[in-house]
Amino acid sequence: WGVSSCTFGITTLQLGALVSNLTENQTYQVDIPSGFIIDGAGASYAGTAYTFATGVASYTLWSWGANTNGRLGTNQATSSAEKVSSPVQVPGTTWNIGYGVYGNGNSTLVAPKSDGTLFAWGQGNFGQTGQNDNVRRSSPVQVTGTTWAPYGNSQASKSILCTKTDGTLWGWGANEFGMLGLNQSGGGAFISSPTQIGSETTWPKDGIDGKMAAGGELMHFAIKTDGTLWGMGWNSMGQLGQNSTVGRSSPVQIPGTTWSHIQCGEQSIRAVKTDGTAWAWGGNEHGELGLNAAGVEQSSPTQIPGTTWSSMFSANKANFGVKTDGTLWSWGNNEYGNLGDNSTIRRSSPTQIPGTTWKQVAGGEYSISAVKTDGTLWSWGYNVNGALGLNEVHPANYSSPVQVGSETDWDRTIAGQEGNFGVRKS
């Protein structure tokens, strides 16, 4: 460990850029060797040392857009007419949420904290808040348990999957088409409290930004610690990657052992392997698979062009990928300019969005937000109900990225539907 430079004042020592990252809750020492500091007369100072301790980063959660069913988590009424057009803080400073939902019809958010607790709010008609009822909530309420894994949650349109720090997998909410993986299904049945799925202990303990788990409309996926990918639920368009359209009510393996990142759209899936290749399967109505064709479904993983992909994200039928060089690419539905390429033209192959410092992207059904490596927040697409967070009284849609506010401490953004979220780090 080290610093690139030091600046000394009368009473202060200012460190320059870090050579490597620091670890939270650890003490460090800065050694000043003899002769390193020389005054104007040429006299050197004796060597000394300074110590300092690092703390735990603070993560605050912010929301904006439509507040239907209390989805913004700010304890406001739940009328669909209520909206927030600029980011407002959700109570708390220790959120460990990594990503949310793809946004098609989902008004529930589930988020872990750094102490292992888990909170939920929003729509509860299928028991999605895990409170053993079907009541909606406009403020975060704790889900039973204190060993929930950081970031490790997968939220489909009507149900939730989460992992614990012991590597077990849990689910609750609607169970249509067996999407909870409990080896049972029922069109009208739902499970309103966390229920363990199987007995395996190799499910993801940390799935930030969808690297380990993802949910679509009526299906869930998760990557185990051995790099295998598993899916469950609806399969009418080959979404489970089994070269068939047979649904599964228990987790079934998708071929391959080097999966590292998974994201779902409404009816389609994109995933990245450890070698940087990206793969897609499922529905393809708007070219959302990125395979230079629209309307042709794929029931097995098919490679998307390119070999330097790092992450993917799906917003209904518009899709995005970030490459290791910081470039951002989009394809699929572009009805409201949601591909961010300054047009409303549908794309069936990845098209670059200007810029080379993109870090992460997320979005609701048609409203997209993204974070750059400099900590700025950007949004584009459908701006109904203030979904882009641009503080506009008479909102207009945007087909190119527009910066949200002037803050530079945004860490990541999270999907909702006409109501989005962002995490700020300090």
Side-chain angles (χ1 to χ4, degrees):
W1 179 83
V3 295
S4 59
S5 63
C6 296
T7 302
F8 298 88
I10 299 300
T11 60
T12 61
L13 165 64
Q14 181 176 341
L15 302 180
L18 301 179
V19 175
S20 59
N21 293 329
L22 301 178
T23 301
E24 293 179 345
N25 287 328
Q26 187 161 323
T27 300
Y28 291 85
Q29 178 173 300
V30 179
D31 294 312
I32 311 298
S34 178
F36 182 78
I37 304 174
I38 302 176
D39 65 15
S44 63
Y45 286 74
T48 186
Y50 295 87
T51 61
F52 64 92
T54 57
V56 177
S58 174
Y59 291 95
T60 55
L61 181 62
W62 300 72
S63 61
W64 59 92
N67 195 33
T68 310
N69 296 309
R71 77 176 95 193
L72 298 186
T74 54
N75 198 28
Q76 295 172 320
T78 57
S79 168
S80 60
E82 295 189 353
K83 59 187 178 183
V84 176
S85 59
S86 295
V88 294
Q89 187 175 350
V90 178
T93 59
T94 57
W95 296 103
N96 261 357
I97 185 170
Y99 75 105
V101 299
Y102 73 94
N104 186 40
N106 193 296
S107 296
T108 310
L109 199 75
V110 174
K113 288 192 172 184
S114 57
D115 62 359
T117 56
L118 184 69
F119 289 79
W121 62 93
Q123 181 63 280
N125 57 329
F126 295 103
Q128 302 99 305
T129 60
Q131 303 299 308
N132 200 28
D133 59 29
N134 59 351
V135 178
R136 66 186 180 187
R137 271 118 176 145
S138 60
S139 294
V141 290
Q142 187 174 347
V143 179
T144 182
T146 58
T147 58
W148 296 102
Y151 314 112
N153 62 81
S154 165
Q155 301 172 59
S157 60
K158 300 177 181 179
S159 60
I160 311 295
L161 255 65
C162 285
T163 58
K164 290 191 175 184
T165 54
D166 61 1
T168 56
L169 182 65
W170 300 70
W172 61 95
N175 196 27
E176 296 174 78
F177 301 98
M179 58 187 173
L180 291 183
L182 297 169
N183 197 28
Q184 59 184 7
S185 62
F190 63 85
I191 295 172
S192 58
S193 296
T195 303
Q196 187 172 348
I197 301 168
S199 58
E200 293 87 354
T201 58
T202 56
W203 295 104
K205 301 179 178 68
D206 187 343
I208 187 170
D209 296 332
K211 289 182 180 178
M212 290 295 184
E217 184 177 18
L218 295 167
M219 65 278 189
H220 286 282
F221 296 84
I223 300 173
K224 288 187 177 182
T225 54
D226 61 2
T228 57
L229 173 61
W230 300 74
M232 61 207 82
W234 190 35
N235 195 28
S236 65
M237 297 182 182
Q239 299 96 311
L240 297 184
Q242 301 298 305
N243 198 29
S244 76
T245 56
V246 178
R248 308 282 184 159
S249 61
S250 295
V252 60
Q253 186 177 350
I254 290 89
T257 59
T258 58
W259 299 102
S260 65
H261 180 101
I262 175 74
Q263 274 289 332
C264 300
E266 181 182 0
Q267 299 167 345
S268 59
I269 295 88
R270 275 139 302 278
V272 177
K273 291 187 175 183
T274 54
D275 62 0
T277 57
W279 302 75
W281 60 96
N284 196 30
E285 178 183 1
H286 297 278
E288 55 263 42
L289 296 185
L291 302 174
N292 197 30
V296 181
E297 300 168 0
Q298 299 288 334
S299 59
S300 297
T302 304
Q303 187 174 350
I304 299 172
T307 57
T308 58
W309 298 102
S310 62
S311 63
M312 295 276 163
F313 187 82
S314 302
N316 197 357
K317 294 180 174 68
N319 300 286
F320 302 85
V322 178
K323 290 190 175 184
T324 54
D325 61 1
T327 56
L328 176 61
W329 302 72
S330 62
W331 59 95
N333 182 28
N334 199 19
E335 183 177 357
Y336 299 99
N338 35 314
L339 294 186
D341 63 355
N342 197 31
S343 80
T344 54
I345 300 172
R346 183 179 71 180
R347 311 280 185 178
S348 59
S349 294
T351 302
Q352 187 176 351
I353 297 173
T356 58
T357 59
W358 296 102
K359 175 184 176 183
Q360 181 256 346
V361 61
E365 189 168 9
Y366 301 107
S367 307
I368 315 302
S369 56
V371 172
K372 290 189 175 184
T373 54
D374 62 1
T376 55
L377 177 65
W378 300 72
S379 64
W380 62 92
Y382 194 40
N383 199 21
V384 68
N385 294 321
L388 299 185
L390 299 172
N391 195 28
E392 294 182 339
V393 178
H394 302 290
N397 302 328
Y398 290 87
S399 60
S400 295
V402 180
Q403 186 172 350
V404 180
S406 59
E407 294 83 6
T408 58
D409 59 350
W410 293 100
D411 185 64
R412 53 193 177 272
T413 181
I414 304 157
Q417 182 195 22
E418 297 177 14
N420 294 300
F421 298 83
V423 177
R424 293 170 64 179
K425 179 180 180 181
S426 61

